[in-house]
Amino acid sequence: MTDEVTISARNVVKAFGQGNAAVRALDDVSLDIRKGEFFTLLGPSGCGKTTLLRLIAGFEMPTEGTILLDGADITTLPPNRRPVNTVFQSYALFPHLTVAQNVAFGLQMLGRPAPEVKATTERMLALVKLEAMAGRKTSQLSGGQQQRVALARALAPQPKVLLLDEPLSALDLKLRKEMQVELKRLQTETGITFVFVTHDQEEALTMSDRIGVMSHGKLQQVGAPRDIYTRPVNRFVASFIGETNFLSGVTEGAGVRLPVGAVVPVDSPRAGTVTLAVRPEHVRIVAPGEAGAIPATVTGSVYFGTDMNYQLALADGTEIEACVVSGVTGEGALSKGEQVGLRFTPGAVQVLED
Amino acid sequence: MSPAEEAVRRENIKSAWQLSAPALLVLTVAAVGPLLIVLVYSFLTPGTHGNVEWVFSLEGWRGVLFDHDIFEDKLVLADGNLTIFWRSVKLSFITTVLTFIVGFPTAWFIATRSPASRAGWLFLITIPFWTNLLIRTFAINQIIRNEGVLNTLLLKAGLVSAPLQLTYTDTALLIGMVYVYLPLMVLPLFATIDRFDMRLLEAGYDLYASRWQVLRRVILPIIRPGIVAGSILVFVPCLGAYVTPRILGGGKNMMIGNFIELQFGQGKNWPLGAALSVTLLVIVTIALLVYVKAISGERKNG
């Protein structure tokens, strides 16, 4: 991966409908995707991530803004003239062609000589481990195999960018895990820039070099998975990725004072009312009355095997979730109604913009 | 398969046969029966006032291809008959191609409408069936004749200086046949396009296919069953068309159907008419076999 930019979206707006009834699927999105990276667009359905992908593919034209590929403006270029290929959510394999013919399609349309088409097709089928299926009709394949054909077909013309539109959503859990590893391997082996769209935060965290979190047609935060998880910029990002406790308080001295009176030692960049975000695994349960600990009551618990999740309530009723590693024999387990103290791991508390 | 399952299977087959027996009986009596009569008549001698005399003769069959030259007393190839056969096949083929060229965009248009309006468009396609074929064909004649709607409009618009002579030409015949058989092409095409996954178009464009290539390499191969069905539904009845060439061709430009009718009417040569009918049947069968074989062969290589 380099810092060289492959795809660049500049102030892209995409509106559907006319006049006042128009819906902005994308609202002033600017984004740089680097060469050779695995970039994920993450967000709930309707957030505009698929629209952005379709704009890059050329299936839609932006209402405003431009899209650059390696510095060249491709905003109005039709899909068949962009060196960009897509793996569709439905796979969209050609039912009248065999597996090998599907993979060869793009190369044939590019007018490559027959020996090259044959060689590349074979190489691609080997890459996705489907050599044995070359002569089969796509309808004779399982979902996972169809997925591989779709991948091989899109990779065969060696595009500059591969777009993947929720390609794993139709697979069962086990197959999905396998394909996640597979996709990552293919991306590393081919060195092609992958732009992956998903609503599954776990998928995004495990596979991506960088993630762009989207909501309501806007890009909320772009960064490495670790940055997104540990330093979410706003409430949406913090709540969409992983579990988070939100606490509102008022900046006071070297911390933020909670309504229950306790002061959380955190470096707040803003005065007045702020929102604190703290992950359940950074909430530590200590003995009640310990100096600086926030008093709380246990209201419930869920056992997850390695972890134990406790639901707690502060004196003013604010709910907090804590995640602790279960003991060997479950010793020290807390029961409902027990009085405890809470501490937050130093440096793990985020002060959010809103 | 266990004996019990085998018994059940046999029982099912038996009841299926019993259920379809009435339909099979009607089909056998109504289709095979007349066909046999026609076949038998083709080997008999013509009666003086039509009908047949029960004397075996190959004259009818000889008349399909040969004329008896009364001056030199020898058989010569019947150019007239061959011309009529050739014309029929040619016009039917052109009609099939034209109905496809007009019918494909129509079917595509209907199949890509919203489900609610689709029913309306299909309804419009079936409207011509409400009127008798004879009346519709006369209506076409009214439109294309020298003082008809078409020529009046063309003259008024200044596109032509003299009325186009369309009546009693092959063009008139083609216009009529395309009009009559168009729904039979549109409906099967619609049925297959309706099941066509439009996302494949995007996949095609994405993989560098031009619009033309998407049409040729993706759409047409996938909707091929509809094209085959539509072509058969148009080509076969076209070949035996009677009313349309009779009215729009003016009896001058005959097709096989009219020629056969002539033998049973004025010609008073029933065996020849019967032999021609059987010949038409053979042509249709051969044409279908060649067509289906070509299509499936192409699929194998495609």
Side-chain angles (χ1 to χ4, degrees):
Chain A
M1 204 199 335
T2 61
D3 282 345
E4 209 178 319
V5 171
T6 293
I7 286 282
S8 185
R10 299 244 177 282
N11 307 103
V12 169
V13 172
K14 177 66 187 177
F16 290 106
Q18 296 290 317
N20 292 335
V23 177
R24 287 199 160 198
L26 287 176
D27 195 355
D28 196 19
V29 170
S30 292
L31 172 69
D32 283 338
I33 296 170
R34 297 178 196 140
K35 202 182 183 98
E37 79 174 330
F38 196 120
F39 190 92
T40 299
L41 287 167
L42 175 67
S45 59
C47 71
K49 56 189 192 298
T50 296
T51 306
L52 183 54
L53 201 76
R54 291 174 61 80
L55 287 174
I56 298 172
F59 300 133
E60 315 260 1
M61 299 284 166
T63 314
E64 289 168 35
T66 49
I67 291 168
L68 310 174
L69 176 67
D70 286 345
D73 189 343
I74 58 161
T75 314
T76 56
L77 219 56
N80 56 336
R81 290 176 53 202
R82 298 184 185 204
V84 168
N85 290 129
T86 309
V87 176
F88 296 88
Q89 186 170 11
S90 59
Y91 312 147
L93 298 177
F94 300 123
H96 60 299
L97 301 179
T98 63
V99 168
Q101 288 166 341
N102 263 282
V103 176
F105 190 89
L107 296 163
Q108 287 170 343
M109 293 301 114
L110 284 170
R112 299 280 165 78
E116 189 199 321
V117 172
K118 194 166 178 288
T120 312
T121 302
E122 280 167 9
R123 211 176 63 242
M124 285 302 141
L125 286 174
L127 191 68
V128 296
K129 302 180 184 117
L130 278 178
E131 303 102 311
M133 304 285 172
R136 297 266 187 99
K137 280 280 164 73
T138 55
S139 54
Q140 298 170 304
L141 304 184
S142 70
Q145 289 170 331
Q146 290 188 15
Q147 168 78 82
R148 286 162 191 272
V149 178
L151 267 167
R153 185 179 71 172
L155 283 170
Q158 278 160 321
K160 287 186 172 163
V161 179
L162 185 76
L163 307 174
L164 303 108
D165 184 9
E166 307 219 18
L168 308 181
S169 59
L171 305 178
D172 62 51
L173 186 67
K174 188 169 169 292
L175 209 49
R176 197 153 68 218
K177 296 276 182 208
E178 274 175 36
M179 282 309 292
Q180 286 178 7
V181 176
E182 187 79 7
L183 274 177
K184 193 69 193 166
R185 177 181 72 85
L186 285 173
Q187 197 260 331
T188 320
E189 273 178 34
T190 56
I192 291 172
T193 311
F194 276 34
V195 181
F196 186 88
V197 157
T198 185
H199 61 265
D200 184 332
Q201 44 128 342
E202 190 195 318
E203 214 164 82
L205 290 175
T206 54
M207 298 167 75
S208 326
D209 293 317
R210 286 197 307 150
I211 298 172
V213 185
M214 294 189 70
S215 165
H216 293 105
K218 288 193 188 220
L219 208 50
Q220 304 290 334
Q221 187 174 3
V222 178
R226 190 179 294 271
D227 292 338
I228 301 265
Y229 188 79
T230 57
R231 287 193 294 279
V233 295
N234 59 32
R235 206 182 168 105
F236 174 79
V237 176
S239 63
F240 192 73
I241 295 161
E243 302 292 320
T244 306
N245 295 301
F246 295 107
L247 300 162
S248 63
V250 181
T251 305
E252 189 184 297
V256 171
R257 182 175 288 278
L258 300 180
V260 291
V263 175
V264 180
V266 62
D267 190 17
S268 176
R270 287 192 296 143
T273 308
V274 294
T275 299
L276 299 181
V278 56
R279 302 280 181 193
E281 64 268 27
H282 295 304
V283 178
R284 282 158 51 210
I285 298 175
V286 296
E290 204 181 287
I294 308 160
T297 313
V298 177
T299 58
S301 64
V302 184
Y303 179 65
F304 282 109
T306 49
D307 299 327
M308 190 82 187
N309 253 34
Y310 287 110
Q311 283 86 54
L312 306 133
L314 301 187
D316 64 345
T318 309
E319 286 176 9
I320 288 195
E321 205 175 285
C323 176
V324 296
V325 177
S326 333
V328 182
T329 55
E331 76 275 14
L334 302 166
S335 49
K336 202 172 163 184
E338 212 165 316
Q339 297 295 315
V340 294
L342 300 179
R343 276 179 183 287
F344 302 138
T345 310
V349 179
Q350 291 294 306
V351 183
L352 301 181
E353 283 170 359
D354 56 340
Chain B
M1 203 181 284
S2 72
E5 280 172 335
E6 178 67 26
V8 168
R9 202 177 64 91
R10 284 192 179 182
E11 194 55 40
N12 283 344
I13 291 173
K14 200 174 148 198
S15 64
W17 273 103
Q18 283 167 349
L19 279 173
S20 50
L24 283 174
L25 194 71
V26 170
L27 280 175
T28 313
V29 171
V32 180
L35 217 59
L36 280 176
I37 295 173
V38 169
L39 195 63
V40 169
Y41 271 37
S42 71
F43 290 104
L44 296 176
T45 309
T48 23
H49 306 288
N51 215 328
V52 286
E53 284 175 25
W54 285 85
V55 179
F56 178 79
S57 160
L58 285 173
E59 275 307 308
W61 279 100
R62 201 168 287 154
V64 172
L65 285 179
F66 300 104
D67 268 341
H68 194 245
D69 192 319
I70 48 168
F71 297 110
E72 297 185 26
D73 195 25
K74 63 177 181 183
L75 291 175
V76 291
L77 266 180
D79 294 343
N81 299 11
L82 291 178
T83 311
I84 289 171
F85 274 112
W86 171 238
R87 267 176 53 85
S88 301
V89 172
K90 187 182 71 181
L91 288 175
S92 303
F93 179 75
I94 297 173
T95 305
T96 310
V97 172
L98 288 178
T99 48
F100 176 72
I101 291 173
V102 179
F104 174 66
T106 311
W108 188 270
F109 173 83
I110 299 173
T112 49
R113 293 310 97 188
S114 70
S117 60
R118 214 178 287 173
W121 289 106
L122 281 177
F123 177 72
L124 290 179
I125 292 285
T126 60
I127 281 187
F129 291 124
W130 297 8
T131 316
N132 183 282
L133 173 64
L134 206 56
I135 293 169
R136 282 186 285 147
T137 312
F138 273 118
I140 287 276
N141 208 13
Q142 287 302 305
I143 290 171
I144 61 172
R145 72 199 168 96
N146 287 11
E147 307 81 24
V149 180
L150 184 70
N151 272 316
T152 311
L153 283 176
L154 287 175
L155 283 171
K156 284 229 171 97
L159 290 171
V160 292
S161 53
L164 293 176
Q165 177 58 49
L166 288 171
T167 32
Y168 309 141
T169 63
D170 280 359
T171 315
L173 231 166
L174 281 174
I175 291 173
M177 295 214 295
V178 168
Y179 162 71
V180 168
Y181 294 114
L182 187 58
L184 298 179
M185 178 62 89
V186 170
L187 294 177
L189 279 179
F190 166 78
T192 45
I193 296 172
D194 192 36
R195 278 181 278 127
F196 180 80
D197 182 356
M198 294 293 166
R199 290 175 293 197
L200 295 178
L201 300 182
E202 284 191 348
Y205 290 132
D206 188 65
L207 291 162
Y208 312 107
S210 62
R211 292 172 75 87
W212 169 247
Q213 282 169 323
V214 167
L215 177 68
R216 229 188 64 74
R217 301 287 303 266
V218 180
I219 300 173
L220 292 183
I222 294 177
I223 65 162
R224 189 176 284 157
I227 302 176
V228 173
S231 302
I232 290 174
L233 285 179
V234 172
F235 184 79
V236 172
C238 256
L239 211 48
Y242 169 70
V243 170
T244 317
R246 174 75 191 266
I247 295 168
L248 295 174
K252 182 177 58 146
N253 297 318
M254 268 190 282
M255 285 179 68
I256 308 176
N258 313 102
F259 191 50
I260 292 171
E261 189 261 357
L262 195 64
Q263 306 315 318
F264 286 95
Q266 293 160 295
K268 294 193 174 58
N269 192 347
W270 287 22
L272 176 57
L276 286 168
S277 302
V278 176
T279 310
L280 175 62
L281 186 73
V282 171
I283 291 176
V284 168
T285 312
I286 291 172
L288 283 183
L289 284 177
V290 168
Y291 186 63
V292 170
K293 200 167 160 59
I295 290 287
S296 57
E298 206 175 309
R299 181 173 293 178
K300 228 172 274 164
N301 303 330

